[in-house]
């Protein structure tokens, strides 16, 4: 396992010497189109739809990284927002990507993979760049915050679930299904990762009809138009 990781890291650093291209990974095509629309054909970015959920998107990200040279990786898409922290149509930039359901349930409660001693459920985001991105979004008049973003395999669908998750990851502002998967693939290639999410719905009781996907995709498109000045200023 360690050897495999070393090979990935070596492949990552030797195959990607001085590339400044940035890989952006969404889950689905509609998100990819929103990001592409904001970037306006900027060829310094490659945008792929890597699939829904941490496993599919990690595999898709790793496949893309194995086939090209990149300087960093961004997970982008729509997400649920935690009440009082991220309203529909607003943006969240991850301070860290947290695999919030990676661990074990028990009669005493959830035990994270960290506590179990099997690895880490937290990947820090590229911090200065993430802070700069959040600041640039705010400077452009967009509602944006820098906060932990959780990744789950099952979207939260109850108030009790939302409360439990908020207690497990204090300060978490958004819930998606891919950020940690993208970040883990990037980590294994020795690359920094960021996550940018536009809020389409509230984390809590499931109400698919209330999702404002159009608003979130518009916000994602506007946010994406700011990426070049943040990454290549
Ligand atoms: O139906 C559509 O037109 C459509 C357009 C863009 C995206 C979708 C999706 O359903 C994407 C699924 C994607 O959304 C993220 N997401 C959104 N809200 C939540 C949430 O409350 N909890 C977790 N994940 C959420 C997630 O990352 C999925 O990959 C549909």
């Amino acid at each position: 396992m360690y050897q495999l990781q070393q090979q990935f890291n070596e492949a990552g650093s030797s195959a990607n010497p001085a590339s400044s291209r940035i890989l952006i990974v969404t889950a689905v095509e509609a998100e990819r189109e929103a990001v592409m629309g904001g970037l306006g054909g900027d060829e310094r970015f490659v945008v792929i739809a890597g699939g829904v959920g941490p496993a599919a998107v990690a595999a898709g990200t790793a496949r893309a990284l194995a086939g090209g040279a990149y300087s960093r990786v961004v997970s982008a898409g729509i997400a649920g927002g935690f009440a009082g922290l991220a309203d529909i149509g607003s943006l969240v930039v991850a301070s860290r990507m947290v695999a919030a359901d990676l661990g074990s349930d028990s009669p005493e409660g959830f035990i994270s993979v960290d506590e179990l001693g099997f690895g880490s459920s937290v990947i820090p985001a590229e911090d200065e760049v993430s802070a700069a991105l959040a600041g640039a979004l705010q400077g452009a008049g967009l509602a944006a915050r820098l906060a932990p973003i959780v990744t789950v395999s099952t979207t939260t669908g109850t108030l009790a679930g939302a409360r439990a998750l908020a207690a497990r990851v204090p300060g978490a502002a958004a819930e998606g299904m891919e950020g940690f998967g993208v970040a883990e693939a990037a980590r294994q290639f020795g690359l920094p990762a960021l996550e940018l999410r536009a809020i389409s719905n509230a984390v809590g009781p499931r109400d698919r009809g209330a999702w404002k996907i159009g608003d979130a995709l518009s916000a994602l498109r506007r946010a994406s138009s700011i990426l070049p000045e943040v990454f290549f200023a």
Side-chain angles (χ1 to χ4, degrees):
M1 181 65 166
Y2 175 73
Q3 232 175 4
L4 184 66
Q5 172 105 24
Q6 281 293 100
Q7 281 166 6
F8 269 134
N9 288 343
E10 281 157 21
S13 50
S14 63
N16 304 340
S19 172
S20 59
R21 276 196 322 170
I22 293 173
L23 178 67
I24 302 183
V25 186
T26 68
V28 300
E29 187 58 29
E31 295 167 321
R32 191 182 86 89
E33 283 169 13
V35 173
M36 297 272 285
L39 291 173
D42 191 323
E43 292 184 356
R44 295 171 296 184
F45 295 85
V46 173
V47 190
I48 64 166
V52 173
V57 87
T61 304
R63 203 168 47 162
L65 292 176
Y70 297 96
S71 58
R72 57 170 60 92
V73 186
V74 182
S75 169
I78 66 171
F82 283 88
L85 291 176
D87 294 334
I88 289 174
S90 72
L91 297 151
V92 181
V93 178
S95 55
R96 56 184 192 272
M97 285 72 82
V98 183
D101 55 8
L102 185 58
S104 179
D105 200 4
S106 82
E108 289 74 39
F110 179 77
I111 308 169
S112 73
V113 75
D114 314 59
E115 294 168 289
L116 292 168
F118 296 145
S120 177
S121 58
V122 181
I123 298 180
E126 192 182 9
D127 54 358
E128 280 181 19
V129 183
S130 297
L133 174 57
L137 293 171
Q138 290 160 357
L142 301 173
R145 83 162 55 220
L146 183 68
I149 299 180
V150 297
T151 300
V152 292
S153 292
T154 304
T155 60
T156 300
T158 63
L159 188 56
R163 286 180 175 156
L165 207 47
R168 190 179 298 167
V169 186
E175 173 189 277
M177 300 176 74
E178 293 81 26
F180 185 85
V182 171
E184 176 61 21
R187 192 185 69 78
Q188 293 199 18
F189 278 79
L191 294 174
L194 299 91
E195 183 172 7
L196 167 65
R197 292 273 164 184
I199 305 305
S200 55
N201 59 282
V203 177
R206 178 171 163 76
D207 181 5
R208 188 63 166 76
W211 283 33
K212 303 276 189 224
I213 291 177
D215 291 359
L217 292 176
S218 296
L220 184 61
R221 182 187 171 112
R222 289 181 66 196
S224 298
S225 72
I226 290 162
L227 297 179
E229 76 188 47
V230 173
F231 292 131
F232 297 107

